Amino acid sequence: MGSYLLRRLMIALPSLLGITVVLFTVLALAPGDPFEELASNPNVPPEVAQMLRHKFGLDDPIWQRYFRWLWAMLQGDWGFSFISRVDVDRLILQRVPVTLAVIGASQVLALLVALPVGIYSAIRPYSWFDRIASALAFVGFSLPTFFTGLLLILLFSIKLDWLPFVYRADIAATGWQWWWEQIRQSLMPVMVLGLFQGASWTRYVRSAMLDVVRLDHVTTARSKGLSDWDITMKHVVRNALIPVVTLVALQMPAVFGGAIVTEQIFRIPGIGSLLIDAILRNDTPVIMGVTFVFSCLVIIFNLVADLLYGWLDPRISYR
């Protein structure tokens, strides 16, 4: 296991390096200037704007700026936000816990929906339960998250006045009251992301279960007189979860993309809203830092998926 992790990390380093080269080049060639507002302000002398551009190296060649950025990153310096006047790593650390809490809770909800519904639909294929679950799943992942988010706001916030539709990071309450307010304001964004993912994963779980049920080792276990519960849980579910784990790991970037839209709808002060604000204001260091974090998360989730393969299927070794 240790040698396998080391090999995967050695492979991940060149991948991250290549990702940073592409991201930095695209951002450097993109139109827009973080000092555009400063240059158009008549109260700011042109030499001040030029001095700032020279200080941050914006007039240097792209390859020089990239290696300067990479060397600073290796030393733990993520850069300085041109707009917020705050270090990039500090900005990201302020936003990441909120995003991870919302996304983590939504993925738990998605698994709690997808696994039992998908497994039972495969056990009783073409039953009324299977047909209703399939219809709801198609509807669930066909509706975009911004549409379902607005529907929930209209129903639970405006019509019923049960839940707040604006996420507040400065809740004045303490103790259990603080936790209750956090749960209330997180319910709708978690439901939007969780039910969307759960609807998609339900179909994959059902399909994977039906594929495994037809295999020879399941027929052999049934011929030995094992109960349906033992056959399903010990011989079908574990093998069926292997493609599902792959799907979950590969869809994590899409989950963070959907979280960006959801954070904008519910005004969640997460890393997604930070990225949107940085793009609108041409804050290149923040864009680079956030996209680098997203890239690291993709590689980490793929590594976790590879490790789970060995637990789900003992035939897989880490040699």
Side-chain angles (χ1 to χ4, degrees):
M1 178 72 74
S3 60
Y4 174 78
L5 284 175
L6 183 61
R7 289 199 306 271
R8 286 302 305 269
L9 290 175
M10 295 300 294
I11 296 174
L13 290 177
S15 301
L16 276 178
L17 187 64
I19 291 172
T20 59
V21 171
V22 174
L23 288 175
F24 195 93
T25 304
V26 170
L27 291 175
L29 295 176
D33 189 346
F35 295 109
E36 184 176 357
E37 295 182 4
L38 198 66
S40 59
N41 190 342
N43 297 322
V44 178
E47 57 271 15
V48 173
Q50 186 62 33
M51 182 186 65
L52 289 174
R53 293 183 61 86
H54 178 73
K55 177 181 178 181
F56 289 101
L58 296 181
D59 294 326
D60 295 338
I62 295 177
W63 65 270
Q64 290 185 8
R65 292 159 57 187
Y66 171 75
F67 282 111
R68 189 185 304 119
W69 174 85
L70 181 63
W71 178 248
M73 284 287 291
L74 293 175
Q75 294 178 323
D77 182 9
W78 288 44
F80 187 77
S81 172
F82 297 143
I83 307 300
S84 302
R85 309 292 192 268
V86 180
D87 292 336
V88 174
D89 54 350
R90 181 180 172 186
L91 276 176
I92 294 176
L93 287 176
Q94 289 174 350
R95 303 293 189 98
V96 164
V98 178
T99 298
L100 291 181
V102 172
I103 290 180
S106 66
Q107 299 315 288
V108 172
L109 175 62
L111 290 174
L112 291 177
V113 171
L115 291 180
V117 174
I119 291 172
Y120 192 79
S121 296
I123 294 174
R124 300 288 186 269
Y126 309 112
S127 62
W128 280 108
F129 179 87
D130 182 32
R131 293 175 182 177
I132 294 174
S134 298
L136 293 177
F138 279 120
V139 173
F141 67 75
S142 298
L143 296 176
T145 54
F146 69 86
F147 180 76
T148 53
L150 293 177
L151 282 182
L152 291 181
I153 289 174
L154 289 173
L155 177 61
F156 293 107
S157 296
I158 298 177
K159 184 70 175 179
L160 300 176
D161 196 19
W162 287 355
L163 301 173
F165 64 89
V166 175
Y167 194 100
R168 291 179 52 199
D170 55 346
I171 297 177
T174 58
W176 288 107
Q177 184 64 28
W178 184 87
W179 283 104
W180 172 245
E181 293 297 329
Q182 287 286 349
I183 293 173
R184 288 183 68 244
Q185 68 179 0
S186 301
L187 274 177
M188 287 196 292
V190 168
M191 287 175 61
V192 168
L193 291 173
L195 295 180
F196 178 80
Q197 289 298 120
S200 176
W201 293 349
T202 297
R203 300 297 302 166
Y204 285 100
V205 172
R206 179 186 182 276
S207 178
M209 288 282 295
L210 291 176
D211 290 339
V212 176
V213 164
R214 302 185 182 97
L215 297 180
D216 293 337
H217 73 278
V218 178
T219 305
T220 303
R222 188 174 286 111
S223 65
K224 291 181 179 180
L226 295 178
S227 64
D228 291 340
W229 174 262
D230 289 337
I231 294 173
T232 301
M233 301 308 296
K234 294 181 180 179
H235 298 278
V236 179
V237 172
R238 288 190 64 172
N239 290 323
L241 286 181
I242 294 176
V244 177
V245 168
T246 305
L247 174 72
V248 173
L250 294 179
Q251 278 195 346
M252 287 311 297
V255 173
F256 280 95
I260 292 175
V261 178
T262 306
E263 287 181 3
Q264 290 296 106
I265 295 173
F266 295 99
R267 298 296 187 267
I268 299 175
I271 195 171
S273 59
L274 176 64
L275 177 61
I276 294 296
D277 184 62
I279 292 175
L280 294 176
R281 306 174 73 174
N282 294 319
D283 200 351
T284 307
V286 176
I287 300 173
M288 193 67 196
V290 174
T291 50
F292 179 75
V293 170
F294 282 165
S295 304
C296 292
L297 290 175
V298 172
I299 292 176
I300 290 172
F301 279 112
N302 279 274
L303 177 60
V304 171
D306 289 341
L307 296 179
L308 288 176
Y309 291 157
W311 175 71
L312 293 170
D313 191 350
R315 295 172 298 178
I316 299 176
S317 64
Y318 294 113
R319 293 180 298 175

